[in-house]
Amino acid sequence: MTMNSKLMVGNWKMNGSLAANASLLSEVLSGMGGVTCRSAVCVPAAYLAPSQSLLAGSALALGAQDVSAHDAGAYTGEVSATMLRDFAVRYAIVGHSERRQYHGESDAVVASKVQRALAVGITPIVCVGESQSEREAGQTEAVVKRQLAAVIHANGHCVSEIVLAYEPVWAIGTGLTATPEQAQAVHAVLRVQLQAATAHADRVSILYGGSMNAANAASLLALPDVDGGLIGGASLKAPEFLAMLKAASR
Ligand code: 13P
């Protein structure tokens, strides 16, 4: 268990519009009384600037959903860590399973992205997780350890500055949630691996992601090695997201 308060992060994925984002954020911000956990929303790159304005001065931090593995140059369509920094981005999701799956991001690419984010002071939220078939084949531990090992290899003891998210691929957007036992078991494995890499492993928040919602958040957040959540669908509904922020504030 880390010393920090819980961290709850909404991942909007490729959803929203200028108007929808403004109403979602205003509803969330107006309901944050009593929220003491750390919180953030990771918005599509196109909406960083307006989201920065809407969140200015609030406790809800701004995050991005990806970052380039490169510093600058001929990389059409990419957004660099330095550019994210221009919009006061605090967090960047790195290595989400949707990026690994649909955009072919390897463990090595993910590790480079983590380096770019850390170099400019953005906290990478590094996602790891096994597919359904990997779980059924008994490979869960091996897969998440391999994914984290690549990040440790490239970043050394600086790995203490990341946030880690365990997102079982079979639980993402499916309504299937890892049981508390399944989540705790993997989180504990990841914690031990971090402890072997850095003396400051307790600084690393390990988030759970995958169909987390207002109904199941409290039981997951009560686990000793679950330090918060990475929330997709349920973060698009202000009352539900707020209920989860409150569950993490107890
Ligand atoms: P859902 O909460 O929609 O399952 O998405 C989880 C996720 O992928 C967050 O990054």
Side-chain angles (χ1 to χ4, degrees), residues 77-100:
E78 295 272 284
V79 178
S80 74
T82 310
M83 293 171 186
L84 296 180
R85 200 58 258 184
D86 269 343
F87 298 95
V89 162
R90 266 283 279 294
Y91 299 99
I93 296 172
V94 174
H96 192 280
S97 61
E98 290 150 16
R99 303 281 329 163
R100 293 180 190 261

Side-chain angles (χ1 to χ4, degrees), residues 185-197:
V186 176
H187 282 234
V189 163
L190 294 170
R191 182 83 68 201
V192 167
Q193 191 176 359
L194 287 167
Q195 281 162 347

Side-chain angles (χ1 to χ4, degrees), residues 140-174:
T140 298
E141 271 195 30
V143 168
V144 299
K145 284 167 90 171
R146 187 203 73 222
Q147 291 171 331
L148 178 56
V151 172
I152 291 170
H153 178 74
N155 293 275
H157 62 84
C158 294
V159 76
S160 62
E161 305 310 310
I162 73 168
V163 166
L164 190 57
Y166 170 52
E167 295 210 310
V169 177
W170 49 271
I172 294 176
T174 57

Side-chain angles (χ1 to χ4, degrees), residues 11 13 96 98 167 171-174 209-212 230-233:
N11 173 11
K13 308 193 179 183
H96 192 280
E98 290 150 16
E167 295 210 310
I172 294 176
T174 57
S211 299
M212 199 188 228
L230 183 55
I231 305 139

Side-chain angles (χ1 to χ4, degrees), residues 22-161:
S23 67
L24 175 58
L25 287 179
S26 87
E27 196 178 341
V28 170
L29 291 175
S30 65
M32 296 240 321
V35 170
T36 55
C37 68
R38 294 170 294 145
S39 61
V41 282
C42 294
V43 309
Y47 296 120
L48 286 170
S51 301
Q52 179 190 15
S53 309
L54 292 165
L55 296 175
S58 81
L60 189 58
L62 181 60
Q65 297 177 9
D66 186 25
V67 62
S68 177
H70 306 285
D71 273 330
Y75 301 102
T76 302
E78 295 272 284
V79 178
S80 74
T82 310
M83 293 171 186
L84 296 180
R85 200 58 258 184
D86 269 343
F87 298 95
V89 162
R90 266 283 279 294
Y91 299 99
I93 296 172
V94 174
H96 192 280
S97 61
E98 290 150 16
R99 303 281 329 163
R100 293 180 190 261
Q101 198 176 336
Y102 308 138
H103 301 272
E105 291 191 10
S106 64
D107 293 337
V109 165
V110 171
S112 299
K113 291 183 169 200
V114 171
Q115 286 180 307
R116 295 284 94 72
L118 289 175
V120 301
I122 290 173
T123 300
I125 300 174
V126 181
C127 300
V128 300
E130 82 289 1
S131 67
Q132 177 78 51
S133 60
E134 288 165 339
R135 174 163 284 269
E136 283 164 4
Q139 294 168 348
T140 298
E141 271 195 30
V143 168
V144 299
K145 284 167 90 171
R146 187 203 73 222
Q147 291 171 331
L148 178 56
V151 172
I152 291 170
H153 178 74
N155 293 275
H157 62 84
C158 294
V159 76
S160 62
E161 305 310 310

